[in-house]
Amino acid sequence: MRAMLSRRRFLAITGAAAVAGRGSDAAPVARWQGPALGTLAEVRLVGIETPGPIFAAIEAELGRIDRLFSLYRADSALVRLNRDGELARPDPAFLELLTIARSVHHATEGAFDPTVQPLFALYAKAAAAGRAAQAGELETVQHAVGFERVTFDAQAVRFLRPGMAMTLNGIAQGYASDRIAALLRAQGLRDVMVNAGEVMAMGQGPTGPGWAVRLPGTEISLRDQAVATSHRMGTQIDPGRGIGHIFDPSGRDRGRDSFVSVVHDSAAIADAISTASIVMENKLLKSFDSFGAKILLADAKTL
């Protein structure tokens, strides 16, 4: 699954706000942009003329999420957990995200596993040295992979083996989109598009009947649903050896080299399933029907 950066490049920019002009058939659209979880986040609000207070609330919520789940800041809860092997009195949002992650971990029979971070670190270290990861190194690291070896409750999140570490980049961006959408919904907004790395769309969009979202090879219309897209080589750790940023937690060298998109009511779940789908066989993807997920391959084929 995704380890550090997603397929989107990290954009170190400051938050910015703009209000789009009113077209002949479109309502005014207020737009906020800024960094979150290593990507460029964007929020669009239909029919909002003075969005300043709403933008401030968006920035505050994304800042809170970044302090929990970012791998790019030394003070985040996730970085402290990876450093210490234990996180005392975790924020309820941290427990919520781990609970969602565990449900997808079980649904994908382990294909979605946040504890693949040691695999990423090993391959990145080997690539920096200009060599391939060695079999003995892989065997050692594999003992530190396994979400079943993570316990969590209101008292603490704990790793049960030394050397373990997690990345939540395969689910946290979707979770951020869900949280911002929920925040705006609570403020009475019903026509919103949130993209914190994965897209959550509410309402009909500026022109209706939904929000147009471009995917690799196609475009879809979303209304009160989310979509997430993954690609194994979206971020390349070692291009010469074909090592991307999504890993099979079993340690097997496999993964489709095409885009997979997932539509679901939850952006977090769509995010996690799209990540897991990269290392799953096509025949197994049908199992997500019962999970309420629709799988789209790069040629826009629906499984």
Side-chain angles (χ1 to χ4, degrees):
M1 57 174 287
R2 269 174 287 195
M4 290 284 285
L5 287 172
S6 71
R7 65 189 180 282
R8 306 165 191 82
R9 293 177 302 160
F10 173 73
L11 299 175
I13 66 170
T14 57
V19 179
R22 189 192 302 267
S24 58
D25 299 318
V29 179
R31 186 178 67 177
W32 176 92
Q33 288 184 315
L37 294 173
T39 191
L40 174 64
E42 179 179 12
V43 180
R44 298 187 185 189
L45 313 170
V46 175
I48 303 298
E49 300 281 1
T50 54
I54 297 173
F55 285 171
I58 290 170
E59 290 178 0
E61 179 66 2
L62 285 175
R64 185 181 74 89
I65 291 170
D66 209 57
R67 289 189 295 274
L68 290 174
F69 307 124
S70 176
L71 282 170
Y72 314 112
R73 49 187 303 164
D75 63 341
S76 77
L78 179 59
V79 167
R80 287 185 282 118
L81 170 63
N82 286 347
R83 180 191 66 210
D84 302 334
E86 180 174 335
L87 180 67
R89 297 181 298 279
D91 188 286
F94 206 101
L95 297 177
E96 179 184 26
L97 186 56
L98 290 184
T99 300
I100 297 170
R102 179 144 289 172
S103 71
V104 181
H105 177 72
H106 290 156
T108 60
E109 298 182 357
F112 177 77
D113 193 320
T115 66
V116 296
Q117 182 64 15
L119 284 170
F120 179 95
L122 172 61
Y123 279 107
K125 180 180 178 180
R131 62 176 181 83
Q134 302 302 304
E137 295 175 311
L138 288 168
E139 184 178 355
T140 298
V141 165
Q142 198 63 46
H143 286 290
V145 176
F147 199 28
E148 67 278 3
R149 302 184 188 108
V150 179
T151 65
F152 54 91
D153 55 30
Q155 281 68 52
V157 182
R158 295 185 178 90
F159 295 149
L160 301 184
R161 284 190 176 179
M164 294 188 72
M166 282 201 301
T167 171
L168 294 170
N169 281 4
I171 189 171
Q173 291 177 342
Y175 179 80
S177 291
D178 285 337
R179 291 305 307 152
I180 295 301
L183 180 151
L184 298 174
R185 192 181 300 116
Q187 296 192 24
L189 300 176
R190 295 291 182 268
D191 210 349
V192 172
M193 188 279 291
V194 182
N195 183 355
E198 312 298 352
V199 175
M200 167 59 77
M202 301 191 305
Q204 64 181 6
T207 59
W211 290 88
V213 179
R214 291 183 180 178
L215 300 176
T218 189
E219 181 175 285
I220 64 173
S221 178
L222 280 185
R223 183 168 184 170
D224 301 322
Q225 282 189 309
V227 66
T229 300
S230 293
H231 190 284
R232 186 172 68 92
M233 297 299 291
T235 295
Q236 300 181 25
I237 299 174
D238 189 340
R241 295 181 174 85
I243 306 297
H245 67 301
I246 297 180
F247 295 93
D248 187 328
S250 70
R252 287 173 289 181
D253 183 15
R254 64 174 182 172
R256 67 183 75 244
D257 288 321
S258 60
F259 288 94
V260 177
S261 297
V262 176
V263 177
H264 194 271
D265 293 342
S266 161
I269 291 176
D271 195 1
I273 289 178
S274 72
T275 301
S277 296
I278 295 296
V279 297
M280 298 178 70
E281 297 177 6
N282 277 3
K283 63 182 180 181
L284 299 178
L285 300 186
K286 288 294 291 181
S287 65
F288 293 136
D289 290 350
S290 60
F291 214 71
K294 181 169 70 175
I295 311 296
L296 297 172
L297 301 184
D299 59 2
K301 176 184 177 182
T302 304
L303 292 180

